[in-house]
Amino acid sequence: MRLAITRGISTALERCELTHLARQPIDMARAHEQHAAYERALAELGCEVRRLAAEPDLPDCVFVEDTAIVLDELAIITRPGALSRRRETGAVAAALAPHRELRFIQAPATLDGGDVLCIDRTLYVGISRRTNAAAIAQVRAHVLPLGYAVTGMAVTGCLHLKSAVTPVAPGTLLINPRWVDPHAFEPLRLIAVDAAEPAAANALLIGNTIVYPSAHPATRERLARHGIQLCSIDVSELLKGEGAVTCCSLVFRAPA
Ligand code: CIR
């Protein structure tokens, strides 16, 4: 069974953290509709969706990806880089505990799950405003005994590593080569985003299909030409909160 943990939208979403974007009004009714459509897309792709309750005091709690890294063998509960997000982890740890042995990132390390890209047995970890070198060392200590390699990656111009690069098919990555060094991923096949759509590299791969924002039509066209199967969704209101499609779920396999 494939589980997808999501979290409801906080009534305080309009006070969410923003780093590279200017604040714009968020249409909350639309945000709720888009989030529900996102969850339906996950369900249609075979996920059992478990939505955690939103918290009025946690503006960014819908962006649940940042609170944990879920591997087959264990889950690492993060220590989010933004102070306002630190308390998001408790509910997620409780939801993951029945499914995985838990490990915890400890101070002074900070880590956002959006900075962790797992490809086969390699964890690429973005060094960003949210994730520091101490976190990479802690992640490495947790996963090296399990046979994973951990590679720190410099990220510039965007919030997280997965704003710059995500898998779109086995062995194929969608990338913005201006935000992360593409050579680091050789020999994987790379598809670059359309230059006019710098924020288009975030796709959520489930099985053979990507859940992909309708906001990036030129890159979507390019992906389709490469034979990538897409489920296109409108997440305009979540994009205003500097989120995208990977960040609204934690998807993993669990025994039925
Ligand atoms: C933040 O700045 O933390 C949120 N407003 C957006 C987090 C998006 N997370 C992600 O893409 N993994």
Side-chain angles (χ1 to χ4, degrees), residues 128-143:
S128 67
R129 290 200 194 186
R130 300 288 176 85
T131 297
N132 60 20
I136 296 181
Q138 290 184 23
V139 170
R140 188 174 282 128
H142 289 308
V143 303

Side-chain angles (χ1 to χ4, degrees), residues 2-7 38-39 42-43 47-52 64 204 206 248-252:
R2 200 178 254 136
L3 278 183
I5 293 185
T6 64
R7 194 160 187 181
Y38 170 84
E39 291 176 329
L42 298 185
C47 298
E48 183 176 318
V49 178
R50 304 222 176 130
R51 185 196 289 187
L52 308 181
V64 71
L204 174 61
I206 298 180
C248 295
S249 59
L250 287 163
V251 179
F252 57 93

Side-chain angles (χ1 to χ4, degrees), residues 56-80:
D57 293 339
L58 297 174
D60 281 298
C61 67
V62 66
F63 304 122
V64 71
E65 168 182 56
D66 292 318
T67 59
I69 303 162
V70 187
L71 303 174
D72 288 345
E73 302 85 351
L74 51 77
I76 301 175
I77 305 300
T78 67
R79 182 168 180 268

